[in-house]
Amino acid sequence: MDLDFLKPLLERPGPWASVFVETSRDTEDAAQIQKLRDRAVARQLVDEGADPATVRAVAERLRAEPASGAPPGRALFATAGEIVLDLPLTTAPPDVEAMWSNLPHIAPLLYLRSDEPVCQVALIDRTGADLELRGPLGMEDTGRAEGKTWQGRGHRSLPADRYEWHYNNKVENAWEETADIIAAELVRRCPQDGGTLLVLAGDARERKAVRDRLPQQLRSHTVEVEHGSRAPGASTEALDREIEEARARYARERVRSALDDFRRGRGRPGEHREGTVDAGPGPAAEGVPAVLEAVREHRVATLLLGLDAADAGRPVWVGPGPYDIALGRTEAKNWGFGRPKEARADDALLRACVAADSEVLVVPEETRGPAGGLGAVLRWST
């Protein structure tokens, strides 16, 4: 999961109110349920010591919730009387959760927002491409890449066979230029870190021509689908199904690949012994102490977090900077954090990953992941 959308949370010192609520309006007594929910949120925040201005800001935002068209849930992050982030959730939280803590409690977002990648879709034909961006909560039309067209004129004096050759050659050249334009636009729009899946739809020949023009790194997370057309009124049902299947498959493959990298790094002879929890010199780290050290050194490429990770709520000590993390208060002071504060391990590590643009992946319950539920694939080994 790309956590770039959480960067506004790095700009405030806190403490923070973190609120996760269901927003379903499917029942007749929805209005009454909403009032009870809002009171429960306010009561929890007050009980945990939140300041009145922040409690009031959260309550006002919840009261202003739209009466219809709401997503399954919402997450609010507030501090100093201001809502800093208001995020829709793709999964409704099982219970109302309102927390007042030194760091924003961002870990639940990993389970309540879809971890399937953002998807850039290009519907391609010989004249250009329609571009769409598909995320967990829907689709957005993001414009077009228009190619060049050639209209034959002034060549009727040529013999028929010469004219046909001349026309076909000009049309083919125009298409080659169009494919170049589409590919260049997709390179501009798609980050090449693998966080965005590129889907090419349209005629097979045109799809292939565009794909062949993409750089190898982008091509490695590009898929082609059989359905989809730029024609007005074309059905999107089959295309939608193919895209959702491609996104789910891509998400599973990213987790599998990251776990393979983790196991190889952890299990190298002479570096990490299988089943140990230490900070050896291989390109993987397992357990809070090892991952914490790698985070401080900006070495985490991918953080792996298991569902219901046993180590997730382990207390650590943090300073004002995103990489200011220590196992204990004395260690934090030795690192020069000033006035260290206690925080959950998962929230502290996720804050650092947001700052470092590290990828974060959730390990499914049925998959064997890092011991204690926390591990990392490293950018380099020591």
Side-chain angles (χ1 to χ4, degrees):
M1 180 182 288
D2 179 9
L3 300 181
D4 212 46
F5 63 95
L6 293 175
K7 286 193 172 176
L9 301 181
L10 302 180
E11 300 167 4
R12 308 292 184 90
W16 289 87
S18 306
V19 176
F20 300 87
V21 295
E22 182 184 4
T23 54
S24 174
R25 298 295 188 89
D26 296 336
T27 60
E28 292 184 3
D29 58 349
Q32 181 62 25
I33 291 174
Q34 181 184 0
K35 288 180 181 179
L36 294 174
R37 179 205 68 186
D38 295 353
R39 289 175 191 166
V41 168
R43 184 168 57 251
Q44 287 182 35
L45 291 177
V46 169
D47 289 346
E48 294 204 7
D51 64 274
T54 299
V55 175
R56 186 163 54 250
V58 169
E60 290 174 354
R61 181 61 62 91
L62 290 175
R63 278 199 301 270
E65 185 179 290
S68 62
R74 294 170 71 192
L76 302 178
F77 298 92
T79 185
E82 182 181 350
I83 304 294
V84 179
L85 275 183
D86 182 348
L87 300 171
L89 303 174
T90 55
T91 302
D95 299 297
V96 171
E97 182 176 0
M99 186 173 177
W100 182 248
S101 53
N102 291 313
L103 295 183
H105 185 38
I106 57 181
L109 290 174
L110 301 182
Y111 319 114
L112 299 176
R113 284 173 68 95
S114 172
D115 63 348
E116 292 180 4
V118 171
C119 183
Q120 176 70 65
V121 181
L123 293 165
I124 303 168
D125 66 14
R126 285 207 151 225
T127 65
D130 294 337
L131 304 177
E132 303 171 355
L133 196 64
R134 300 194 180 205
L137 295 165
M139 183 269 286
E140 176 187 358
D141 185 340
T142 56
R144 286 155 187 76
E146 296 295 349
K148 296 185 177 181
T149 58
W150 182 79
Q151 299 293 331
R153 63 179 186 275
H155 301 287
R156 291 298 182 184
S157 60
L158 292 173
D161 58 343
R162 290 284 304 280
Y163 177 80
E164 182 177 355
W165 176 89
H166 189 71
Y167 179 84
N168 289 339
N169 190 55
K170 286 291 187 180
V171 169
E172 190 63 28
N173 287 342
W175 160 241
E176 296 291 333
E177 291 185 40
T178 297
D180 287 337
I181 291 170
I182 296 171
E185 182 64 18
L186 292 175
V187 169
R188 186 182 72 82
R189 289 171 179 261
C190 295
Q192 298 188 38
D193 59 2
T196 298
L197 174 66
L198 175 57
V199 175
L200 305 180
D203 294 335
R205 186 168 180 266
E206 282 73 24
R207 295 195 315 257
K208 182 179 185 305
V210 171
R211 183 169 188 161
D212 288 346
R213 286 164 167 78
L214 299 174
Q216 178 57 42
Q217 192 171 1
L218 180 55
R219 207 181 310 160
S220 66
H221 50 271
T222 298
V223 298
E224 298 180 47
V225 295
E226 296 298 323
H227 297 89
S229 171
R230 295 185 83 194
S235 172
T236 65
E237 184 177 344
L239 174 64
D240 294 343
R241 185 169 58 252
E242 279 192 287
I243 290 174
E244 290 311 304
E245 290 171 355
R247 289 178 65 202
R249 188 166 56 248
Y250 187 70
R252 290 194 300 270
E253 175 58 27
R254 283 179 71 78
V255 173
R256 186 201 62 76
S257 177
L259 285 172
D260 286 347
D261 291 342
F262 170 76
R263 289 166 185 144
R264 280 193 297 268
R266 181 186 59 180
R268 287 186 176 184
E271 294 184 343
H272 286 273
R273 297 185 305 277
E274 185 68 29
T276 62
V277 182
D278 58 26
E286 184 174 28
V288 173
V291 177
L292 186 149
E293 180 180 342
V295 159
R296 276 201 304 254
E297 297 171 352
H298 306 190
R299 291 191 293 126
V300 173
T302 303
L303 181 71
L304 298 167
L305 186 61
L307 288 168
D308 299 322
D311 285 343
R314 175 174 171 173
V316 296
W317 291 83
V318 299
Y323 308 111
D324 295 345
I325 314 175
L327 288 174
R329 186 185 183 103
T330 301
E331 182 187 4
K333 288 184 175 181
N334 291 339
W335 279 101
F337 292 175
R339 293 184 174 179
K341 300 175 181 178
E342 191 173 309
R344 290 172 55 102
D346 53 2
D347 290 332
L349 293 172
L350 287 169
R351 179 181 68 156
C353 288
V354 173
D357 295 318
S358 302
E359 182 181 34
V360 178
L361 296 175
V362 176
V363 180
E365 280 184 298
E366 66 276 9
T367 304
R368 182 166 169 259
L374 280 172
V377 178
L378 307 183
R379 291 181 169 128
W380 69 86
S381 57
T382 56

